[in-house]
Amino acid sequence: MTRVLILATVGTMALTACAPVRDPNLGYDADGIRVCDLTVSFGSYAMGVDQELKSRILTLVAQEPGLDNTEERPWGREGESNLCIHAPRPGQADRLYDQIAEMIPTYSERAPTTVTHRDGRSEASVMPPWRN
């Protein structure tokens, strides 16, 4: 039993020693994928995403200077996706979060849209109470 533990520990140390060097200012998940500074999730209530809102958000992001490696990650059959935004400066992420959060309506009969900041803040539209 002791030998197995020692071998497992040595094996883990060897793997750790070979891990790629990453920028310590950026966050990575357990799989080594860079964590998004902002994530905008475009959902659907079985009617597709809110295309008008999505277009406005994509335009805002496209006009923002210096954003690096922004990508859209589709996950649904009706256009649902997550927009992963990597902002080179923390202040830029904060400002973009505020701008996107302001664009998202409180209620949406068509589709939920959520913006989540890397620090845990989140703003989302929900289905109107009169539709529940």
Side-chain angles (χ1 to χ4, degrees), residues 29-79:
D29 67 12
D31 296 324
I33 298 171
R34 187 171 166 196
V35 175
C36 307
D37 294 311
L38 299 174
T39 302
V40 183
S41 182
F42 301 101
S44 169
Y45 298 134
M47 295 178 276
V49 301
D50 183 337
Q51 288 294 340
E52 188 273 331
L53 178 58
K54 182 176 182 178
S55 177
R56 288 177 41 222
I57 291 171
L58 290 175
T59 298
L60 173 72
V61 170
Q63 293 173 346
E64 184 66 28
L67 289 184
D68 64 332
N69 199 22
T70 297
E71 63 181 300
E72 189 170 357
R73 300 171 180 168
W75 54 265
R77 292 187 277 176
E78 297 177 342

Side-chain angles (χ1 to χ4, degrees), residues 12-27:
T12 302
M13 288 189 320
L15 289 174
T16 302
C18 296
V21 177
R22 297 189 177 101
D23 185 334
N25 297 316
L26 303 176

Side-chain angles (χ1 to χ4, degrees), residues 1-9:
M1 182 65 101
T2 305
R3 287 183 186 170
V4 173
L5 179 61
I6 291 171
L7 289 176
T9 302

Side-chain angles (χ1 to χ4, degrees), residues 34-131:
R34 187 171 166 196
V35 175
C36 307
D37 294 311
L38 299 174
T39 302
V40 183
S41 182
F42 301 101
S44 169
Y45 298 134
M47 295 178 276
V49 301
D50 183 337
Q51 288 294 340
E52 188 273 331
L53 178 58
K54 182 176 182 178
S55 177
R56 288 177 41 222
I57 291 171
L58 290 175
T59 298
L60 173 72
V61 170
Q63 293 173 346
E64 184 66 28
L67 289 184
D68 64 332
N69 199 22
T70 297
E71 63 181 300
E72 189 170 357
R73 300 171 180 168
W75 54 265
R77 292 187 277 176
E78 297 177 342
E80 298 95 339
S81 65
N82 288 341
L83 179 64
C84 178
I85 302 169
H86 302 292
R89 296 176 312 280
Q92 185 177 31
D94 292 339
R95 186 174 40 75
L96 270 172
Y97 172 85
D98 291 340
Q99 290 175 314
I100 294 170
E102 190 173 302
M103 296 170 125
I104 296 174
T106 303
Y107 299 111
S108 175
E109 292 195 30
R110 180 173 185 89
T113 304
T114 306
V115 62
T116 306
H117 193 287
R118 181 176 169 195
D119 67 11
R121 289 180 281 168
S122 184
E123 187 70 36
S125 60
V126 296
M127 186 174 285
W130 55 88
R131 292 278 317 264

